[in-house]
């Protein structure tokens, strides 16, 4: 069970962040409302929400999942090293917030690692090797988590931003995945639900204790998720989608 989360208010500069979405510029006022609703959803799911101040100099800093990886129940966190140059400094900016909750283990250059590439299922970490996370980042990550009793499996990606753009835990031993990822041998031990091809964005659902957060506007995925037995909470992430972000990226849970 998770009891705590960390989020960060989106800065006015968020439209200057990185994106491939071609969905237009995000509306900051609407993004703030959606962020407040997202935090409310985490609180409804039983989490304390530690909301950090906006950072104007880092337009992507609302996506707090990327500069850190929490080790739930271990009072420890990994300080990641985001692979996009405009985001690398987000790690040092979030370090003091992590230190409030336990020991912090940094990934060192030239290793890079984005938290969006890290998926935890029970005591097994899957780590996407992507344009943001390199092999050295993965090796450092594995050495740290092995000391805490976790295993770590690399998952090289051919395309896409992050591992969790494609695959996420939605129920016990059950993942929601893109068709591409569903066929991968790394996930053969799990029940895999394939996200409908025209709703690929909705592969980024977020399981928080007994509640499953589902992005607004994806009715086929919603119907699939309603069969899993969790309480469903719909959250509108339209302004974050414009910046390639989704439900998991907006918080750290532990
Ligand atoms: C980026 O490209 O880094 C941001 N615009 C989006 C990051 C989304 N984060 C995530 O999937 N964990």
């Amino acid at each position: 069970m998770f009891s705590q989360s960390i989020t960060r208010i989106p800065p006015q500069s968020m439209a200057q962040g990185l994106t491939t979405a071609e969905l237009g510029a995000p509306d900051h006022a609407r993004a703030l409302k959606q962020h407040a609703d997202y935090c409310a959803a985490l609180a409804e799911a039983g989490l304390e929400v530690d909301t950090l101040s906006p950072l104007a100099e880092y337009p992507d800093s609302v996506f707090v999942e990327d500069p850190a990886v929490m080790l739930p129940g271990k009072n420890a966190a990994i300080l990641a090293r985001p692979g996009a140059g405009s985001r690398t400094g987000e790690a040092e900016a979030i370090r003091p917030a992590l230190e409030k909750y336990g020991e912090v283990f940094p990934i060192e250059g030239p290793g890079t690692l984005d938290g969006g590439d890290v998926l935890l299922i029970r005591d097994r970490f899957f780590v996407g090797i992507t344009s943001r996370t390199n092999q050295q980042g993965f090796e450092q990550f594995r050495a740290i988590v092995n000391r805490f009793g976790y295993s770590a499996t690399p998952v090289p990606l051919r395309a896409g931003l992050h591992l969790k753009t494609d695959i996420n835990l939605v129920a016990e031993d059950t993942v929601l995945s893109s068709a591409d990822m569903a066929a991968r041998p790394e996930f053969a031990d799990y029940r895999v639900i394939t996200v409908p091809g025209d709703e690929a964005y909705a592969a980024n659902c977020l399981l928080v204790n007994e509640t499953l957060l589902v992005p607004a506007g994806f009715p086929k995925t919603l119907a699939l998720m309603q069969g899993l037995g969790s309480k469903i909470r719909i959250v509108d992430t339209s302004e974050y989608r414009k910046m390639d972000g989704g439900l998991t990226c907006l918080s750290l849970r532990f």
Side-chain angles (χ1 to χ4, degrees):
M1 289 284 278
F2 298 132
S3 58
Q4 185 67 51
S5 63
I6 297 174
T7 66
R8 190 185 288 286
I9 301 281
Q12 283 276 3
S13 60
M14 70 180 286
Q16 273 87 62
L18 303 167
T19 188
T20 58
E22 298 183 344
L23 292 171
D27 179 295
H28 185 248
R30 195 174 303 150
L32 286 174
K33 282 205 191 93
Q34 291 179 351
H35 197 265
D37 186 52
Y38 177 83
C39 293
L42 295 180
E44 287 162 28
L47 304 193
E48 292 287 326
V49 184
D50 183 356
T51 299
L52 310 176
S53 307
L55 295 175
E57 64 275 40
Y58 295 114
D60 279 314
S61 55
V62 67
F63 302 117
V64 284
E65 179 176 69
D66 294 317
V69 178
M70 309 310 292
L71 306 185
K74 313 281 188 194
N75 297 324
I78 293 176
L79 188 66
R81 190 165 177 274
S86 64
R87 301 199 61 191
T88 308
E90 288 178 37
E92 280 312 314
I94 204 164
R95 184 195 274 265
L98 304 179
E99 285 171 343
K100 282 194 280 181
Y101 301 102
E103 198 170 353
V104 173
F105 298 85
I107 300 293
E108 313 277 359
T112 62
L113 184 123
D114 272 20
D117 280 318
V118 177
L119 173 65
L120 176 61
I121 304 181
R122 293 180 187 260
D123 55 359
R124 193 168 173 193
F125 277 107
F126 294 89
V127 183
I129 308 297
T130 64
S131 61
R132 302 289 180 90
T133 297
N134 64 18
Q135 189 66 28
Q136 279 168 294
F138 168 72
E139 304 287 350
Q140 291 180 40
F141 179 88
R142 177 160 59 187
I144 299 165
V145 299
N146 282 352
R147 287 161 52 192
F148 286 89
Y150 301 98
S151 68
T153 303
V155 185
L157 260 66
R158 284 178 284 274
L161 176 56
H162 286 129
L163 179 65
K164 281 187 287 193
T165 311
D166 272 302
I167 186 164
N168 288 278
L169 187 71
V170 289
E172 196 174 338
D173 295 325
T174 304
V175 289
L176 175 64
S177 166
S178 66
D180 210 29
M181 200 57 72
R184 298 283 296 251
E186 290 91 338
F187 298 103
D189 294 344
Y190 303 96
R191 176 181 174 210
V192 181
I193 301 172
T194 305
V195 73
D198 56 350
E199 295 194 357
Y201 174 81
N204 193 254
C205 285
L206 175 60
L207 184 62
V208 185
N209 300 335
E210 267 94 56
T211 303
L212 182 62
L213 275 57
V214 178
F218 299 93
K220 294 180 207 162
T221 307
L222 177 62
L224 288 170
M225 296 298 97
Q226 276 165 335
L228 294 177
S230 285
K231 180 179 174 221
I232 301 283
R233 172 63 152 87
I234 295 174
V235 180
D236 192 352
T237 55
S238 66
E239 302 317 294
Y240 301 99
R241 186 182 183 197
K242 293 173 182 174
M243 302 311 296
D244 286 344
L247 288 168
T248 65
C249 328
L250 290 170
S251 64
L252 294 161
R253 292 80 48 192
F254 52 106

